[in-house]
Amino acid sequence: MRRVLIVGATSPLARYMAHEFAQQGDTLFLAGRDVEELERVASDVRIRFGAPVYTGRFDALAIEEHEAFLQGVVQAMGGLDGVVWVAGTMDGLEEALHHPLALKRLIDVNFTGAASLLTLAARVMEEQGRGFIAGVSSVAGDRGRAQNYPYGSAKGGFSLFLQGLRNRLSKKGVQVTTIKPGFVDTRMTWGRDKLPFLASPQRVARESVQAILRGKDVAYVPAVWWLVMLIIRAIPERVFKKMNI
Ligand SMILES: NC(=O)c1ccc[n+]([C@@H]2O[C@H](COP(=O)([O-])OP(=O)(O)OC[C@H]3O[C@@H](n4cnc5c(N)ncnc54)[C@H](OP(=O)(O)O)[C@@H]3O)[C@@H](O)[C@H]2O)c1
C-alpha cells in the first residue's frame, strides 16, 4: 500500500491515474484548485475501489503556500510514498506570444509551480531514502514550435528539471519519472481537428502509471511519440522554420 499525492486531480488524465493507483490498494491525496470537483472525484474513487482518499486545495501559483500544503498532505496520509504532478495549462497561449504577464502565468503554472512543489517533495523523499516522483511534462517540450513555444518552453524546462532531480535522487533511493504525453483527448485539445495519434486519457493514464511503477526514467505515452519526436528533433532548423507544425 502506497500513499500517493496527485496534483491537478480534476484533469481527466489525473482522474484515471487515481483509478490505476486505487485499484492496487493505494491511499490517495487528490489536490487542485476546485475543491468541490475534487470531492466528486474522490467519492467516485472511494465507491469504485474502496480506497482511502483525501482531498485538499492547491494552487500552483501560490508558491508561498506549498510548504504548509505538503506538510498537511504528509500528516493526513501518515506519510508520503509518491507524488504525481499532472497540473498544467495552455490557457492564455495566444496572449502569451505578445504579453509578458500572460507569458509569466503560463511559465509559473507549468514550470515554477511544479518545480516548487517537487523540490519540497524531494526533500521528504530524500530524508526517508525512498519513494517516487513523477511529472507530466509534454512532447511539446522537446522542440520549440512557432505555435506553442510559451507552453512548450515551460514544459521543456520542466523536463530538464525532472532530469536533474532524477540524477540527484537516484543516489538516494528515490525514483523520478518524466511522462511525455502526445495529444490527449481532454479539454486542452478540444476543438482542434486532425490531431495525430490522439489518445484517450484512460490509455495515457494506464501507460503512465505502468511507467511509474516499473521505475522508468522517461516515458513517451503512447510509445509511438518516442519515434515521432526522434524524427521531429532531427529536422534541421533551416527546414523546420519553413514547416507549418
Ligand atoms: N491534453 C493534451 O494533449 C496533453 C498533451 C501533453 C501533456 N499534457 C499535460 O497533461 C496534464 C493534464 O492535462 P489535461 O490534458 O488533462 O488538461 P486539463 O483537463 O486542462 O487539466 C489541467 C489540470 O491542471 C490544473 N491546473 C491548472 N492551473 C492550475 C493551477 N494554477 N494550480 C493547480 N492546478 C492547476 C487544472 O485544474 P482546474 O480544474 O482547477 O483548472 C486541471 O486539473 C497537463 O500537465 C498537460 O500540460 C496534456
Side-chain angles (χ1 to χ4, degrees), residues 172-193:
K172 315 272 181 168
V174 182
Q175 168 65 38
V176 179
T177 300
T178 309
I179 307 288
K180 295 186 179 183
F183 295 119
V184 191
D185 192 6
T186 67
R187 71 179 162 181
M188 225 178 235
T189 51
W190 288 342
R192 296 172 62 192
D193 44 59

Side-chain angles (χ1 to χ4, degrees), residues 61-84:
L61 296 172
I63 288 185
E64 63 290 347
E65 294 170 13
H66 288 186
E67 189 156 7
F69 163 78
L70 196 68
Q71 278 169 3
V73 170
V74 175
Q75 210 165 29
M77 293 199 288
L80 187 65
D81 303 299
V83 177
V84 185

Side-chain angles (χ1 to χ4, degrees), residues 8 10-12 33 59-60 86-88 137-138 151 155 182 184 186-187 189:
T10 55
S11 106
R33 294 182 300 182
D59 187 341
V86 192
S137 184
S138 172
Y151 169 79
K155 287 294 195 182
V184 191
T186 67
R187 71 179 162 181
T189 51

Side-chain angles (χ1 to χ4, degrees), residues 102-171:
L103 175 65
K104 179 180 182 312
R105 196 173 178 286
L106 262 186
I107 293 170
D108 284 352
V109 175
N110 291 302
F111 176 75
T112 321
S116 159
L117 186 78
L118 297 186
T119 294
L120 295 164
R123 220 196 268 167
V124 174
M125 308 249 165
E126 194 177 355
E127 266 168 31
Q128 66 195 20
R130 59 176 178 79
F132 71 80
I133 290 173
V136 176
S137 184
S138 172
V139 295
D142 277 15
R143 184 148 196 181
R145 287 172 49 216
Q147 289 148 13
N148 76 347
Y149 65 87
Y151 169 79
S153 58
K155 287 294 195 182
F158 186 38
S159 295
L160 280 183
F161 173 86
L162 290 166
Q163 187 177 45
L165 191 65
R166 169 164 50 251
N167 283 292
R168 185 167 78 79
L169 295 186
S170 65
K171 288 113 189 154

